[in-house]
Amino acid sequence: MSSENSSADDPSADGVQDDGQRVWDVVVVGAGPAGASAAYAAAVAGRRVLLLEKAELPRYKTCGGGIIGPSRDSLPPGFELPFRDRVHAVTFSNNGRFTRTRRSKQMLFGLINRPEFDQQLVEHAQKAGAELRTGVTVQRVEQHGSSVPDRRTVAVVLQGGETLLARAVVGADGSASRIGAHVGVKLDQVDLGLEAEIPVPETVAEDWKGRVLIDWGPMPGSYGWVFPKGDTLTVGVISARGEGAATKRYLEDFIARLGLAGFEPSISSGHLTRCRAEDSPLSRGRVLVCGDAAGLLEPWTREGISFALRSGRLAGEWAVRIAEAHDAVDARRQALNYAFAVKAGLGVEMSVGKRMLTAFERRPGLFHAALTGFRPAWNAFREITQGSTSLGELVRGRPMAQRALAALDPRSAERGAGGEATS
């Protein structure tokens, strides 16, 4: 939406309250991929945008750093990806056994370090006109009460007591989101990811160049990965929360099995990934959530960057419309439109991903056999990572994929492919 739509008859359209306090069109909380994308989308529409981040940038984030096709397609124009490696081969193993490598002439996906990637996204938002404040922690948002001058305004209360005013707020403050708590986000799946950044000699790095490893793990739904980034290997594992000791043991065994136990990690970290329940809200009043704050990620692989970029862009676009809404009814209509846009795209992929995870938990060996020995399965993996199709499109458009998923997860056959995605 363009800046011509600012209402001339609105006495506060200049962004200043009667008491002289500035009113932002959109305040975005969190400067990761979701928040930076939201800030960019709102700023490029000509709006007054403030992007808040509690850390100082650049900052480390626990993340494999894989950039698949949908992520590349969602970046701002002119964005040059800071790839540390380009992946053309995947080695698959089933808990260390039955190892096989599949290759692709075209790049499957690229690998980045999150500090560089996130910083670059923020810079694009700033170039589009967004203002950045770092080192600030948001305590809460208020849509009623003494801090809120009128029904068109949201108060963003910072640690220390400072209050900012906005016509719309986007929560992109991660998986432990305070804005998500305000909205009432409900979670359906929580997983624990553990990761180590391991510097390696040039001879070891050369062996991994252009190739990643995916290992199907010993606990239901678990897997491990090795992502090469020049002179450092990102090695991690993920499993359902509640299996902390077993997950840590898996990572230690995984690193030892790879012959990497003798190298000292520069960073060892862990984080929780959280998937939303299908009936979880995406908004409350003039407040939207996106990315991890909304529990938006692919449930099987737990891939979150593409979901953050895509939902962030949508949140920024719809926050502009909410900022322009003159009453609660119109604001609610725009928020519902945002939720519909998210569910119609990302929701379909999440619904299929949940079914894939259920099937994978039951039959990991079958998944391994298919990806390493059945060309259509490998082709599907390749097309998804390259961005020529998605999980949702794959299952909806290919009867063979529908039959395979129904055979692996018989309970899903009654629901049909993607049939519950827009509930």
Side-chain angles (χ1 to χ4, degrees), residues 328-367:
V329 173
D330 191 19
R332 176 64 176 159
R333 182 185 305 118
Q334 304 304 338
L336 287 171
N337 285 337
Y338 165 68
F340 179 81
V342 169
K343 291 177 182 179
L346 300 177
V348 171
E349 293 180 37
M350 289 189 71
S351 181
V352 176
K354 286 179 182 178
R355 293 167 58 196
M356 294 284 285
L357 176 62
T358 299
F360 172 66
E361 287 173 338
R362 294 173 62 241
R363 306 287 295 277
L366 200 54
F367 273 73

Side-chain angles (χ1 to χ4, degrees), residues 104-287:
S104 170
K105 291 180 180 178
Q106 294 180 308
M107 183 180 80
L108 295 166
F109 55 95
L111 299 173
I112 51 92
N113 284 331
R114 281 288 301 277
E116 298 171 322
F117 179 70
D118 291 12
Q119 177 72 31
Q120 203 167 311
L121 281 170
V122 168
E123 289 171 358
H124 273 260
Q126 290 177 287
K127 288 174 186 175
E131 187 172 317
L132 172 69
R133 282 185 63 180
T134 59
V136 292
T137 298
V138 173
Q139 290 282 67
R140 65 186 183 277
V141 292
E142 298 178 1
Q143 302 194 63
H144 307 282
S146 58
S147 299
V148 183
D150 58 61
R151 293 183 179 181
R152 286 194 60 206
T153 307
V154 181
V156 180
V157 183
L158 306 182
Q159 194 173 59
E162 182 184 356
T163 298
L164 306 171
L165 300 179
R167 298 293 181 218
V169 171
V170 176
D173 48 335
S175 61
S177 169
R178 294 190 177 185
I179 311 303
H182 172 81
V183 167
V185 172
K186 294 187 290 184
L187 303 171
D188 191 43
Q189 173 188 327
V190 183
D191 296 292
L192 170 64
L194 300 177
E195 197 165 72
E197 302 286 349
I198 304 178
V200 293
E202 185 177 347
T203 51
V204 177
E206 189 64 30
D207 183 52
W208 285 98
K209 188 175 182 180
R211 177 176 67 93
V212 302
L213 169 65
I214 297 176
D215 177 74
W216 313 119
M219 296 90 74
S222 67
Y223 74 97
W225 61 89
V226 179
F227 284 0
K229 299 171 184 175
D231 59 0
T232 297
L233 300 179
T234 298
V235 183
V237 300
I238 195 163
S239 183
R241 183 178 66 172
E243 297 282 350
T247 306
K248 184 179 180 183
R249 220 166 26 247
Y250 176 29
L251 178 60
E252 292 170 351
D253 293 346
F254 187 44
I255 290 174
R257 185 198 309 152
L258 294 167
L260 300 173
F263 304 114
E264 186 68 26
S266 58
I267 299 174
S268 295
S269 61
H271 73 294
L272 295 176
T273 64
R274 296 174 168 94
C275 284
R276 68 187 291 272
E278 289 194 14
D279 61 347
S280 178
L282 291 163
S283 68
R284 177 180 174 186
R286 290 176 173 267
V287 179

Side-chain angles (χ1 to χ4, degrees), residues 70 310 345 348-349 383-384 387-396:
R310 290 181 284 173
V348 171
E349 293 180 37
E383 291 169 15
I384 289 170
S388 59
T389 190
S390 69
L391 267 179
E393 291 168 348
L394 184 74
V395 175
R396 281 182 304 184

